[in-house]
Amino acid sequence: MTHAQIPTPRDAFETLLAGNQRFVTGTPQHPNQDAARRTEVAPAQSPFAVLFGCSDSRLAAEIIFDRGLGDLFVVRTAGHVMGPEVLGSIEYGVSVLGAPLVVVLGHDACGAVAATRSAVEDGTTAGGYVRDVIERVTPSVLAVRAAGGTEDQDFIAEHIRHTVDLLLDRSRVLSEAVDAGRAAVVGLSYRLADGTARLVTARGLDDVAAGVAA
């Protein structure tokens, strides 16, 4: 995918998955990481996806999706929790830079989710602004507990779904882009041990079938 192309949401999604597959199999191509690409994107950027993920140091987006300079517009917070700055950044990626895909990337063994489960189940509290992160993850943890879920993957998947829903509920810019077919929002769950990114939810890609690493 070159700098000049404007991919469809499906094209962008499949490009992202293809890169993850290369990473998983140990055959990365390291595209768009040379001096020529650096020169090409210096005047302007047109990323094909906005990647909103957890700040976990093991989730370096350009590595796990085998991409390079100018490909991904990355926004990261602990537990992929949202505030106005995050929403504004994602809207910028879609409405100004023209990215047709927004990805919410969660992962197993998430420290923010684990801390929130402890807070809910044991009354453990955190100091400083970590408490704010826990408060924003709490609705996801409570929803899983109410449904009888107990596994780590249940909490991770629910928090990813909750984040996707929250994005579309709070951002008119994003929801209108999805309704118009200009963009899609997907939630992926990353597995630390094997490097696969599994589809959890998709909005604007209703016909997405298999092909996501399971």
Side-chain angles (χ1 to χ4, degrees):
M1 183 174 297
T2 67
H3 180 67
Q5 290 177 322
I6 303 176
T8 66
R10 168 175 281 281
D11 288 339
F13 181 66
E14 292 179 350
T15 297
L16 202 68
L17 292 186
N20 178 243
Q21 185 61 29
R22 293 193 300 270
F23 171 69
V24 170
T25 58
T27 57
Q29 297 175 357
H30 305 295
N32 298 331
Q33 296 182 18
D34 57 10
R37 178 63 168 180
R38 183 181 68 223
T39 300
E40 179 186 6
V41 299
Q45 60 173 321
S46 57
F48 72 83
V50 176
L51 197 296
F52 175 36
C54 182
S55 296
D56 192 292
S57 61
R58 298 164 291 185
L59 259 70
E62 285 87 354
I63 294 176
I64 67 178
F65 292 110
D66 191 29
R67 300 309 312 176
L69 297 173
D71 289 334
L72 304 177
F73 189 75
V74 181
V75 183
R76 299 174 70 183
T77 64
H80 50 84
V81 300
M82 281 188 296
E85 300 86 352
V86 168
L87 286 166
S89 297
I90 294 172
E91 287 186 351
Y92 181 84
V94 173
S95 64
V96 178
L97 300 181
L101 181 69
V102 175
V103 178
V104 174
L105 182 65
H107 65 98
D108 58 355
C110 177
V113 173
T116 304
R117 291 181 64 182
S118 295
V120 170
E121 297 167 6
D122 307 325
T124 306
T125 58
Y129 285 101
V130 175
R131 182 179 301 174
D132 186 64
V133 173
I134 289 174
E135 288 176 353
R136 298 188 191 199
V137 180
T138 295
S140 301
V141 170
L142 292 177
V144 175
R145 283 169 56 85
T150 59
E151 301 297 323
D152 179 64
Q153 62 184 4
D154 298 329
F155 290 92
I156 298 302
E158 175 57 31
H159 188 45
I160 293 169
R161 285 190 292 266
H162 177 74
T163 303
V164 169
D165 291 343
L166 206 57
L167 272 174
L168 291 168
D169 180 62
R170 292 189 175 178
S171 173
R172 178 176 295 181
V173 168
L174 190 55
S175 62
E176 289 180 350
V178 172
D179 290 342
R182 298 193 305 272
V185 182
V186 301
L188 299 178
S189 181
Y190 179 75
R191 294 180 179 176
L192 295 171
D194 61 23
T196 57
R198 178 178 60 87
L199 181 66
V200 173
T201 186
R203 306 284 288 274
L205 286 178
D206 296 334
D207 57 342
V208 169
V212 181

